[in-house]
Amino acid sequence: MTRFILVRHGETDWNKEHRIQGHADAPLNSDGIAQAKSIATRLSDINLDAIFSSDVSRTRETAAIIAAGRGIEVQEMFDLRERNYGKWEGVTQAEWESTDPEGFAHWKRAPETYVPPGGESLQQVHERTVQAYNYISQNQPSDSTVVVVGHGAALLVLTVHLLQLPLKVRNNFNLSNTSLSVLDVGQDFTVIRLWNDVSHRGISIP
């Protein structure tokens, strides 16, 4: 059994502004850095065997703060990136809705069937995140504890895959910035031990 500790990246200015990030390389803001430090403290007493991260700034910075002082090199993976939102990256949700109300409504209602112009389908995200998971699981001993620092959509897609659920079920889950989620993954089962916990940030989930 491998323990997967899933951590969504810390906050960016684009998060605060409700801008679509996708593959865009928005760095952590000061709050995001503080959040990353808080999750690093939360994990400080846990022995970690490996740390994997998406290869954009907000995840790399979060992972580096978690890895500091551990002697573990963060392994960056393109396949752990957020969904590519194409044309809508850098646009606020309000701007997107006013520009393309039909497409925006489709995305909010059924993101698994919406494909942004120039972007990825959720199925494509599923294929590459599963590819990342397969690489990690094949290259770590079965009793490892592994941290995966990623993005909301990509981590949710990975989660429903591990739970053997359809893609649309990801809409029933949420991940806050630097939330802590723990999944124990065996050969034919996955157990959620903790989900979207942000108690290390001194707040509770509404």
Side-chain angles (χ1 to χ4, degrees), residues 43 45-46 48 56 58 68 76 88 90-91 99 101 106-107 110-111 123 144 148 154 163 181 193 199:
L43 297 173
D45 293 333
I46 299 175
L48 304 178
V56 297
R58 58 193 183 275
E76 299 175 11
W88 303 121
V91 174
T99 303
H106 184 174
W107 173 63
Q123 181 60 39
S144 297
V148 177
L163 294 173
S181 300
R193 298 295 183 187
S199 58

Side-chain angles (χ1 to χ4, degrees), residues 145-183:
T145 297
V146 176
V147 171
V148 177
V149 182
H151 309 265
L155 290 178
L156 290 176
V157 166
L158 175 59
T159 297
V160 296
H161 169 76
L162 293 176
L163 294 173
Q164 302 179 49
L165 297 171
L167 275 177
K168 66 179 181 180
V169 175
R170 65 170 286 279
N171 298 336
N172 297 331
F173 293 86
N174 185 51
L175 287 172
S176 303
N177 291 117
T178 61
S179 58
L180 177 63
S181 300
V182 180
L183 281 66

Side-chain angles (χ1 to χ4, degrees), residues 5 17 23 25 28 34 36-37 43 46 59-60 82 92 106 114 121 132 141 148-149 158 173-174 192 203-204:
I5 298 177
E17 297 164 1
H23 283 202
D25 203 20
L28 298 182
K37 289 179 178 178
L43 297 173
I46 299 175
T59 44
R60 287 190 291 107
E82 179 61 293
T92 67
H106 184 174
Y114 175 76
S121 69
V148 177
V149 182
L158 175 59
F173 293 86
N174 185 51
I192 298 178
I203 63 175
S204 58

Side-chain angles (χ1 to χ4, degrees), residues 21-39:
Q21 295 188 106
H23 283 202
D25 203 20
L28 298 182
N29 60 22
S30 58
D31 287 339
I33 292 171
Q35 292 167 1
K37 289 179 178 178
S38 71
I39 187 68

Side-chain angles (χ1 to χ4, degrees), residues 45-87:
D45 293 333
I46 299 175
N47 182 55
L48 304 178
D49 296 296
I51 301 174
F52 294 85
S53 170
S54 158
D55 63 349
V56 297
S57 292
R58 58 193 183 275
T59 44
R60 287 190 291 107
E61 292 170 0
T62 303
I65 290 171
I66 293 171
R70 288 183 176 271
I72 298 176
E73 182 177 354
V74 176
Q75 300 180 60
E76 299 175 11
M77 303 181 72
F78 174 91
D79 284 340
L80 290 174
R81 280 194 182 194
E82 179 61 293
R83 183 179 185 178
N84 184 345
Y85 281 93
K87 166 180 186 177

